[in-house]
């Protein structure tokens, strides 16, 4: 009876999950996520495909514009005769075709003769595709070239995009939907060269057209610019006038290299070229879509949606597989969240890898529906089997998730005896941050604006700290207090803390425009870090306590955050933090700022400003001067030090602060100068 009941429950789970996910899939609920999965697979598999050798790209880029202006006196737009010269060059080489991704809708500003010159070159070659553009799929009239250029073209190619609902070009039409049914640039090029395959044999995408297999970027194809083609054609014409053989040499091109090659010409200079969103990039050159369509056809590397039968089988296997995994997890009593997650993620990852492999071979498997079916099946089965178990875990997670970090909660669940007052001593890296001038910022904002601002800032910084394995101690207004190496052991805690600090500063730079729009002034934070022995644990009363840190090392980190003001810096760490981080593989650079005795300490502490290697390299000349000036400062040669600091004052804010210190020490010479600065305020 019990076995029959279990079979009935399992059957109901399978049928319910299958029906629910099938409804979502076939109703289009997963369209957006499947499109994103499609884009990801396109990006992952693109490096494994090579471009067709029968395609070359010619772009009119900024280099070409600059060359033409300097050498030929051409301003934009160029004379249309220039495009004719490029056509003549490819005509010499017997190229298969040349397609222009630009529309000549108005007569040339250089006169009718200019249009006639382009038209003659087009007619002489006989394989030129000009462009027609329809603003939408329902447009009846398209933008076409002026009559003389239209008549000289072998065909007109349609460049109207076929966007999905999210505005991304994944598919391309074969022909426009206008009355004339103009072919796409790629289809037109293949048609006039006699290489167009039977389109009826090309897999049709959902929504029409064909899926395009993109490569990473247009540089994968043979890339040339207009300058190269024009210089080569001019050199050929000169050789013909002088009756001498043409020698391409190292910097010119031989037309014969383009025999049988399909040429695509597009604008690629800033402000000139059209862009569209593709699976590869949100700003992808429009001509690249048509190049990719031809590349897909020439290499017969088509993409097709999985058949209905295959989709149904995948859903069935996902549901049954999820049920079996859920039951197996229960049977072998794998209780921990980590092991369940690893098993679940391994299977999901295996399916994603398989979908990429199949995608590379031309089949587009659904991703969202099978994964959702698998996830639901596992989840429902596990919930069924553990309905009456884990109550203590659920209670603890619910009760404490608002007060403790996830790591601390997991530690409490695994070790309930830890739910008491007390702590342990261990080496940690403490992190203190504070927003510069927050009081003046808060005075200008109403409570709602201030709350939104703080939440946005604290959320962004907290995410980074947690990503780097930190534990949030507490928030004090705009201040964030955190630490590493507790409750979980982290050998590289100093390295993690420094990486988090610089990542937080970088994130703040990225958020600056958004924050300044609210505050009306620069929004900056100061960060202090120190590594040392401290007590960490549950501190407070028997009825209410926090997982926090105490000790002199913690106090020093707090002081260093404030000491930043004395050097006009924003990130500062102690020598102990620097050494520990470097010993554990940190690649950051550090410049010594001072040997300073903070308030409450008699001994000096070496403090450093950490930064990325590239920033350090860019500022190394001024840092070298700073180091030399600081050496004089430590030796008590304040006047000489001041002169050296003054030479870099405009480049290094810390140097400006040292000039003030030199002035103060020259005005009030210390009796026994030991090179240690003594802070008088926190």
């Amino acid at each position: 009876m019990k076995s029959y009941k279990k079979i009935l429950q399992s059957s109901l789970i399978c049928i319910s999950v299958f029906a629910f996910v099938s409804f979502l899939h076939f109703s289009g609920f997963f369209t957006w996520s499947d499109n994103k999965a499609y884009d990801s697979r396109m990006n992952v598999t693109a490096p494994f495909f090579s471009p067709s050798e029968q395609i070359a790209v010619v772009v009119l880029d900024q280099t070409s514009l600059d060359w033409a202006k300097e050498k030929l006196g051409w301003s934009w737009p160029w004379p249309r005769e220039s495009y004719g010269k490029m056509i003549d060059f490819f005509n010499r080489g017997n190229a298969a075709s040349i397609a222009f991704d630009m529309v000549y809708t108005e007569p040339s500003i250089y006169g009718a003769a200019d249009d006639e010159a382009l038209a003659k070159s087009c007619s002489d070659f006989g394989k030129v595709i000009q462009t027609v553009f329809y603003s939408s799929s329902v447009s009846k009239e398209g933008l076409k070239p002026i009559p003389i250029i239209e008549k000289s073209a072998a065909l007109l190619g349609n460049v109207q995009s076929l966007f999905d609902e999210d505005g991304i070009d994944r598919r391309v039409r074969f022909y426009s939907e206008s009355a004339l049914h103009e072919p796409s640039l790629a289809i037109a090029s293949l048609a006039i060269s006699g290489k167009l395959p039977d389109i009826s044999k090309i897999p049709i995408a959902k929504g029409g057209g064909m899926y395009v297999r993109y490569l990473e970027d247009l540089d994968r194809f043979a890339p040339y610019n207009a300058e190269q083609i024009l210089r080569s054609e001019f050199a050929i014409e000169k050789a013909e006038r002088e009756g001498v053989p043409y020698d391409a040499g190292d910097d010119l091109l031989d037309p014969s290299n383009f025999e049988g090659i399909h040429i695509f010409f597009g604008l690629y200079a800033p402000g000139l070229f059209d862009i569209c969103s593709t699976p590869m990039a949100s700003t992808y050159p429009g001509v690249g879509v048509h190049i990719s369509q031809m590349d897909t056809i020439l290499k017969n590397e088509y993409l097709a949606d999985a058949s209905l039968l295959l989709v149904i089988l995948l859903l069935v296997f996902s549901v049954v597989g999820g049920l079996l995994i859920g039951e197996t997890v229960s049977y072998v009593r794998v209780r921990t969240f980590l092991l369940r997650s690893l098993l679940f993620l391994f299977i999901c990852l295996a399916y994603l890898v398989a979908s990429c492999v199949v995608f590379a071979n031309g089949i587009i498997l659904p991703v969202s529906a099978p994964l959702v079916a698998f996830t639901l099946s596992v989840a429902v089965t596990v919930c069924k089997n553990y309905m009456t178990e884990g109550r203590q875990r659920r209670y603890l997670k619910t009760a404490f998730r608002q007060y403790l970090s996830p790591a601390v909660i997991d530690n409490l669940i695994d070790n309930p005896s830890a739910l008491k007052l007390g702590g342990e001593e261990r080496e940690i890296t403490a992190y203190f941050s504070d927003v510069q001038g927050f009081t003046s910022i808060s005075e200008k904002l109403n409570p709602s604006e201030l709350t939104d601002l703080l939440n946005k800032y604290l959320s962004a910084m907290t995410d980074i700290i947690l990503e780097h394995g930190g534990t949030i101690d507490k928030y004090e207004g705009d201040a964030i207090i955190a630490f590493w190496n507790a409750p979980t052991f982290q050998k590289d805690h100093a390295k993690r803390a420094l990486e988090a600090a610089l990542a937080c500063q970088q994130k703040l730079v990225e958020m600056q425009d958004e924050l300044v729009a609210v505050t009306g002034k620069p929004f900056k934070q100061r960060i202090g870090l120190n590594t040392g022995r401290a007590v960490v644990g549950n501190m407070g009363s028997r009825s209410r306590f926090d997982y926090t840190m105490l000790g002199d090392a913690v106090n020093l980190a707090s002081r260093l955050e404030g000491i930043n003001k004395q050097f006009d810096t924003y990130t500062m760490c102690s020598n102990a933090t620097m050494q520990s981080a470097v010993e554990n593989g940190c690649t950051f650079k550090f410049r010594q700022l001072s040997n300073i005795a903070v308030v409450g300490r008699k001994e000096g502490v070496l403090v450093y400003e950490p930064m990325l290697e590239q920033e350090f390299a860019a500022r190394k000349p001024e840092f070298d001067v700073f180091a030399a000036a600081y050496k004089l400062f430590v030796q008590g040669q304040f006047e000489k030090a001041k002169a050296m600091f003054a030479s870099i004052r405009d480049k290094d804010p810390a140097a400006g602060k040292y000039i003030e210190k030199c002035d103060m020490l020259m005005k009030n010479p210390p009796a026994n100068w030991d090179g240690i600065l003594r802070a008088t305020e926190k």
Side-chain angles (χ1 to χ4, degrees):
M1 183 67 181
K2 187 175 180 180
S3 176
Y4 172 78
K5 184 178 180 181
K6 188 172 183 178
I7 292 174
L8 179 60
Q9 289 176 340
S10 298
S11 299
L12 287 174
I13 290 174
C14 288
I15 294 171
S16 300
V17 172
F18 176 81
F20 177 66
V21 176
S22 295
F23 171 75
L24 294 180
H25 175 72
F26 292 110
S27 67
F29 181 81
F30 296 124
T31 298
W32 183 87
S33 56
D34 275 336
N35 280 340
K36 299 309 173 187
Y38 177 98
D39 298 345
S40 297
R41 285 175 285 179
M42 186 68 74
N43 278 273
V44 169
T45 58
F48 298 100
F49 290 87
S50 300
S52 170
E53 295 181 355
Q54 300 177 54
I55 300 175
V57 183
V58 179
V59 296
L60 197 163
D61 56 6
Q62 189 63 48
T63 299
S64 299
L65 288 174
D66 294 341
W67 168 79
K69 186 173 184 179
E70 178 183 353
K71 301 296 183 181
L72 305 175
W74 291 350
S75 58
W76 183 256
W78 280 4
R80 289 177 182 170
E81 183 182 5
S82 62
Y83 307 115
K85 294 293 184 182
M86 286 186 271
I87 294 171
D88 294 342
F89 177 82
F90 292 115
N91 190 6
R92 296 177 190 273
N94 195 25
S97 67
I98 178 168
F100 283 86
D101 184 28
M102 52 196 302
V103 189
Y104 304 101
T105 57
E106 301 293 336
S108 171
I109 62 173
Y110 296 93
D114 191 34
D115 288 324
E116 292 170 0
L118 173 57
K120 183 178 185 306
S121 295
C122 292
S123 298
D124 291 345
F125 186 26
K127 300 176 184 179
V128 176
I129 297 93
Q130 297 291 358
T131 293
V132 58
F133 174 73
Y134 293 90
S135 59
S136 69
S137 59
V138 297
S139 298
K140 301 300 182 183
E141 295 294 331
L143 294 175
K144 294 184 178 182
I146 59 176
I148 187 173
I149 295 178
E150 180 182 358
K151 291 178 182 178
S152 68
L155 283 174
L156 291 183
N158 171 42
V159 293
Q160 180 188 349
S161 295
L162 185 57
F163 297 118
D164 287 324
E165 291 182 357
D166 56 2
I168 294 180
D169 248 329
R170 298 180 181 89
R171 301 167 290 126
V172 180
R173 289 186 177 88
F174 299 111
Y175 296 94
S176 72
E177 297 183 347
S178 71
L180 298 178
H181 295 288
E182 295 93 344
S184 68
L185 284 187
I187 297 298
S189 298
L190 291 169
I192 64 172
S193 65
K195 298 179 182 179
L196 182 64
D198 185 352
I199 291 179
S200 65
K201 295 181 179 180
I202 298 177
I204 304 300
K206 286 187 294 187
M210 61 172 282
Y211 291 110
V212 174
R213 192 181 289 279
Y214 290 94
L215 301 185
E216 292 115 314
D217 52 51
L218 295 187
D219 290 339
R220 292 289 303 278
F221 296 90
Y224 303 92
N225 65 13
E227 176 195 349
Q228 292 174 287
I229 307 302
L230 287 173
R231 286 197 297 107
S232 299
E233 173 61 20
F234 291 158
I236 292 173
E237 293 176 356
K238 181 180 178 183
E240 290 175 344
R241 289 193 301 270
E242 296 176 354
V244 298
Y246 170 65
D247 181 12
D250 295 330
D251 62 338
L252 298 176
L253 301 172
D254 190 331
S256 63
N257 293 339
F258 298 91
E259 183 174 0
I261 302 297
H262 295 279
I263 312 298
F264 285 85
F265 182 89
L267 303 178
Y268 208 62
L272 295 183
F273 68 97
D274 68 304
I275 59 175
C276 61
S277 294
T278 71
M280 309 309 296
S282 59
T283 55
Y284 197 82
V287 68
V289 176
H290 305 285
I291 294 171
S292 299
Q293 182 186 26
M294 177 179 282
D295 182 64
T296 303
I297 294 173
L298 288 176
K299 295 185 299 178
N300 198 31
E301 293 174 343
Y302 301 114
L303 287 161
D305 293 295
S307 66
L308 177 61
L309 177 61
L310 180 56
V311 172
I312 292 174
L313 288 175
L314 281 173
L315 291 179
V316 170
F317 283 129
S318 297
V319 171
V320 175
L323 176 73
L324 294 176
I325 293 299
E327 294 291 353
T328 301
V329 166
S330 302
Y331 178 76
V332 300
R333 305 188 69 80
V334 181
R335 294 289 193 259
T336 68
F337 174 79
L338 176 61
L339 291 179
R340 288 202 302 269
S341 297
L342 288 176
L343 181 61
F344 171 78
L345 291 175
F346 174 78
I347 295 173
C348 291
L349 181 61
Y351 180 75
L352 291 175
V353 171
S355 72
C356 286
V357 173
V358 174
F359 187 88
N361 286 278
I363 302 297
I364 307 168
L365 295 180
V367 169
S368 302
L371 290 181
V372 170
F374 177 69
T375 302
L376 282 178
S377 187
V378 171
V380 174
T381 304
V382 171
C383 288
K384 172 182 72 73
N385 291 330
Y386 292 114
M387 189 66 72
T388 59
E389 300 178 15
R391 291 180 179 176
Q392 182 183 17
R393 290 172 176 263
R394 290 194 295 273
Y395 168 75
L396 287 173
K397 282 184 177 291
T398 302
F400 292 102
R401 64 185 177 184
Q402 301 297 328
Y403 309 102
L404 303 176
S405 71
V408 176
I409 295 176
D410 290 338
N411 185 50
L412 290 177
I413 290 174
D414 294 333
N415 303 283
S417 61
L419 196 60
K420 62 183 180 181
L421 290 176
E424 62 173 316
E425 183 179 330
R426 65 165 67 183
E427 182 178 88
I428 65 169
T429 296
Y431 172 110
F432 283 76
S433 75
D434 197 35
V435 174
Q436 175 180 279
F438 189 75
T439 300
S440 62
I441 291 174
S442 61
E443 290 172 349
K444 298 178 181 178
L445 304 177
N446 62 46
S448 177
E449 292 173 332
L450 184 61
T451 300
D452 290 343
L453 176 69
L454 265 181
N455 288 342
K456 188 172 297 182
Y457 162 71
L458 293 176
S459 295
M461 300 302 107
T462 298
D463 288 345
I464 293 172
I465 291 172
L466 295 180
E467 285 172 8
H468 288 79
T471 298
I472 300 295
D473 185 325
K474 62 179 69 71
Y475 304 105
E476 293 183 352
D478 60 296
I480 302 174
I481 303 172
F483 52 88
W484 277 259
N485 202 32
T488 56
F489 174 74
Q490 298 163 324
K491 181 181 179 182
D492 59 344
H493 53 90
K495 176 175 176 285
R496 289 169 178 260
L498 279 167
E499 289 173 345
L502 293 193
C504 284
Q505 296 290 24
Q506 178 57 39
K507 181 64 176 178
L508 196 58
V509 171
E510 296 170 5
M511 298 172 63
Q512 201 62 207
D513 290 344
E514 183 180 5
L515 296 174
V516 170
V518 177
T519 63
K521 60 185 294 186
F523 193 98
K524 298 183 177 182
Q525 64 178 340
R526 295 191 178 93
I527 299 174
L529 301 134
N530 182 47
T531 300
R533 305 292 295 182
V535 175
V536 290
N538 297 315
M539 313 291 179
S541 69
R542 290 184 178 85
S543 60
R544 175 67 185 271
F545 49 79
D546 290 322
Y547 190 82
T548 186
M549 55 180 173
L550 295 173
D552 187 56
V554 178
N555 295 334
L556 179 56
S558 175
R559 298 288 186 269
L560 294 187
E561 178 273 313
I563 291 296
N564 273 295
K565 289 183 283 188
Q566 296 196 24
F567 300 96
D568 215 357
T569 55
Y570 292 93
T571 308
M572 181 182 293
C573 71
S574 66
N575 183 58
T577 299
M578 180 195 73
Q579 289 188 350
S580 178
V582 171
E583 288 171 3
N584 285 280
C586 179
T587 59
F588 294 156
K589 294 295 184 181
F590 302 82
R591 64 113 165 220
Q592 183 178 337
L593 285 171
S594 182
N595 186 355
I596 189 165
V598 300
V599 174
R601 276 176 170 252
K602 295 181 180 180
E603 303 82 11
V605 177
L606 294 177
V607 292
Y608 297 82
E609 181 183 13
M611 64 192 70
L612 299 175
E613 287 185 276
Q614 53 266 40
E615 180 184 357
F616 185 87
R619 299 180 62 189
K620 191 175 185 305
E622 66 209 59
F623 288 162
D624 289 342
V625 175
F626 181 92
Y630 176 71
K631 185 175 181 181
L632 293 172
F633 180 84
V634 171
Q635 293 171 354
Q637 301 183 52
F638 303 125
E639 189 170 346
K640 291 182 179 179
K642 176 182 177 182
M644 291 192 72
F645 283 128
S647 67
I648 57 170
R649 164 187 266 170
D650 295 338
K651 298 179 180 179
D652 188 357
K657 290 293 185 179
Y658 262 103
I659 292 174
E660 297 175 6
K661 299 180 193 306
C662 288
D663 287 336
M664 180 185 69
L665 291 169
M666 285 189 291
K667 184 177 180 180
N668 301 292
N672 296 301
W673 174 246
D674 56 4
I676 299 176
L677 284 174
R678 286 176 169 77
T680 58
E681 57 181 25
K682 298 180 181 181

